[in-house]
Amino acid sequence: MPNTAIESVTGLCVWDSRGRPTVEACVRLACGAEGRAIAPAGASTGSGEAVDLRDGGHALGGLGVARAVANVAEGIAPALAGMDADDQEAIDAAMIELDGTANKGRLGGNAMIAVSMAVAHAAAAAHDQPLWRYLRAREGVDGAVVLPMPEIQIFGGGAHAGRRVDVQDFMAMPIGAESFAEACVMTAEVYRAAGAIMGKRGKLMGVADEGGFWPAFDTNEEAIEALLEAIEKAGFVPGEEVAISLDIAASELHRDGLYSLGLEKRALDSDAMAAMVLDWVNRYPIVSVEDPLGEHDPDGLARFTAAALGRVQVVGDDAVVTSAARIAALAARGACNTALIKPNQAGTLSETLAAVKAARAEGWGAIVSARSGETEDVTIVHLALGWGVEQLKVGSFARSERIAKWNEAIRIEDALGQGARFATGLPFPLSQ
Ligand code: PGA
Ligand code: ZN
């Protein structure tokens, strides 16, 4: 057996896809194995997330991570020295205790998640296994390895695109694909078609933070129409081969107790907002809706979930913040039926896994997700595969911080051959 005792933990300031500083952690073990990981960062964050520790002040808009990096070397490293990298739970518990806050604000969620993921990479390397296989073995998952259904952003809006449209993500789900590689081909066709349509209309302004096109739409519904048109132009049957998924990110729209649609110059109460989204669900081939209402509105989310039952997957992001306790509480009131799983919302891998298990215990679906600020780090792909999570959300089909993750899944599927099973078809909460 390799000696998996932690020998050193170091931190480094590196840069994310928005050109902002972030934390990379490197963990070295006594056996010589090494693991690295980089923290991502959100823009439309939930208030209950683990917080990133930022330096403040003038430089880099206050976004520097010198203090978080220093916390890796001066706070976390001595506490973890000599601990067994195979015991992820004990390591995460030690960091949680050292931090001692509810929001991880002392050490920084960015420092903690980078170290937590780097520990897992180092342990997997010590056992000479890819991370996904190591995690799968630890969790005792057997049977075919499931390649997740991707939901891929075609148009971006909201906080990721100057709020030109209110809805944040207009995504394609290639539900008719038979492999992950085919899902990528189908999405690439839809992405190309969407770009061509928007270019021809002179509506293309650029790409949003996650690589989706950022056109000058006049209404939110125009974006849904354009996505439908792109699916058809690419030669697919909407709702059968390629379906639509939305992330409304409605917490971002909340103003004075109402949902403010800036582009349409309207303010809606919870019921009117829910009715608008349900009307879209009725008229378009939409199979998944995330954050249709805000994190402050769990009753609205519950009413929406009841009304949408069997028609659309209802995904919680800002209200859920990758917390097992929040999943249990929301499930108890019937709000949402699928959890978005973002490791840096939780701040450690153990808490992230606990959220996945809580979702399963409630009969919910789960989607492993990237953030709007990302890097070349592909850990989340391994988490989805290793933990058997059947959906993956990484942003668009452009920009290498996104494509690196799709490519990692393609590579793993290819290496597995017959041992892989693609999570084709509708997201399973629809069959409940
Ligand atoms: P964020 O966006 O990373 O900016 O929070 C992703 C999402 O809302 O799902
Ligand atoms: Zn979201």
Side-chain angles (χ1 to χ4, degrees):
M1 283 295 278
N3 184 345
T4 48
I6 293 180
E7 209 165 71
S8 74
V9 183
T10 54
L12 187 67
C13 171
V14 296
W15 302 88
D16 76 10
S17 54
R18 282 191 276 246
R20 296 177 184 173
T22 188
V23 181
E24 178 175 82
C26 179
V27 171
R28 288 191 190 84
L29 308 184
C31 62
E34 187 180 295
R36 276 174 199 280
I38 309 176
S44 62
T45 48
S47 61
E49 295 191 12
V51 296
D52 289 345
L53 184 62
R54 301 282 182 180
D55 296 337
H58 277 305
L60 297 168
L63 295 171
V65 293
R67 285 195 296 152
V69 168
N71 283 347
V72 174
E74 291 157 24
I76 297 174
L80 302 193
M83 290 187 78
D84 182 0
D86 273 331
D87 196 347
Q88 181 89 44
E89 276 202 20
I91 285 165
D92 290 340
M95 283 197 286
I96 290 165
E97 197 189 322
L98 184 66
D99 173 73
T101 68
N103 67 2
K104 302 190 169 62
R106 198 170 88 79
L107 292 174
N110 43 359
M112 290 174 69
I113 193 62
V115 171
S116 187
M117 296 194 302
V119 165
H121 279 287
H127 295 283
D128 217 8
Q129 287 183 342
L131 179 57
W132 68 266
R133 198 188 289 278
Y134 170 78
L135 294 172
R136 201 172 132 88
R138 282 181 56 90
E139 285 309 304
V141 182
D142 47 28
V145 180
V146 179
L147 269 294
M149 169 65 68
E151 41 182 330
I152 304 185
Q153 188 192 64
I154 305 297
F155 300 123
H160 299 167
R163 300 185 194 277
R164 174 68 212 188
V165 286
D166 305 291
V167 173
Q168 182 179 285
D169 297 315
F170 300 86
M171 295 171 286
M173 279 178 88
I175 56 174
E178 280 175 12
S179 67
F180 192 90
E182 189 188 2
C184 290
V185 173
M186 291 166 73
T187 309
E189 296 283 13
V190 175
Y191 188 74
R192 278 165 56 86
I197 292 168
M198 290 297 114
K200 212 181 257 173
R201 289 188 195 157
K203 287 205 157 187
L204 216 44
M205 294 172 73
V207 293
D209 279 5
E210 297 189 10
F213 294 116
W214 170 4
F217 291 120
D218 295 320
T219 64
N220 290 293
E221 197 170 332
E222 188 190 346
I224 304 176
E225 286 278 0
L227 177 49
L228 182 60
E229 208 179 313
I231 292 168
E232 284 169 345
K233 185 166 190 272
F236 299 115
V237 182
E240 276 180 38
E241 292 172 307
V242 179
I244 294 175
S245 166
L246 301 178
D247 181 1
I248 313 283
S251 304
E252 293 287 315
L253 308 176
H254 186 231
R255 307 264 180 290
D256 305 325
L258 294 173
Y259 293 94
S260 165
L261 302 180
L263 184 58
E264 297 168 25
K265 297 195 171 46
R266 291 194 291 157
L268 306 179
D269 67 13
S270 177
D271 285 343
M273 182 74 187
M276 179 184 76
V277 178
L278 285 166
D279 177 52
W280 292 341
V281 168
N282 286 340
R283 289 187 294 114
Y284 297 99
I286 297 169
V287 297
S288 182
V289 177
E290 180 176 327
D291 287 0
L293 297 162
E295 63 169 78
H296 60 281
D297 189 9
D299 291 335
L301 279 169
R303 287 193 295 273
F304 182 91
T305 306
L309 196 66
R311 285 193 284 166
V312 70
Q313 166 177 264
V314 184
V315 185
D317 175 4
D318 288 354
V320 167
V321 291
T322 313
S323 151
R326 280 173 176 250
I327 289 168
L330 288 162
R333 62 204 296 173
C336 306
N337 57 27
T338 298
L340 203 71
I341 301 291
K342 293 167 163 171
N344 81 322
Q345 284 183 326
T348 64
L349 274 194
S350 302
E351 290 162 284
T352 307
L353 178 57
V356 170
K357 289 181 175 170
R360 280 200 189 117
E362 300 296 348
W364 283 23
I367 306 172
V368 169
S369 170
R371 301 309 305 250
S372 49
E374 270 293 334
T375 67
E376 68 274 24
D377 188 292
V378 295
T379 307
I380 56 166
V381 177
H382 289 259
L383 301 183
L385 267 93
W387 294 340
V389 175
E390 300 213 343
Q391 297 178 63
L392 181 63
K393 181 188 180 204
V394 170
S396 193
F397 212 70
R399 301 178 37 145
S400 279
E401 79 277 7
R402 315 288 150 189
I403 294 294
K405 293 160 181 72
W406 305 132
N407 285 349
E408 183 76 350
I410 289 172
R411 230 174 262 131
I412 296 169
E413 182 179 62
D414 181 65
L416 283 167
Q418 294 300 315
R421 175 177 78 75
F422 177 59
T424 188
L426 290 169
F428 89 86
L430 278 182
S431 57
Q432 287 185 326

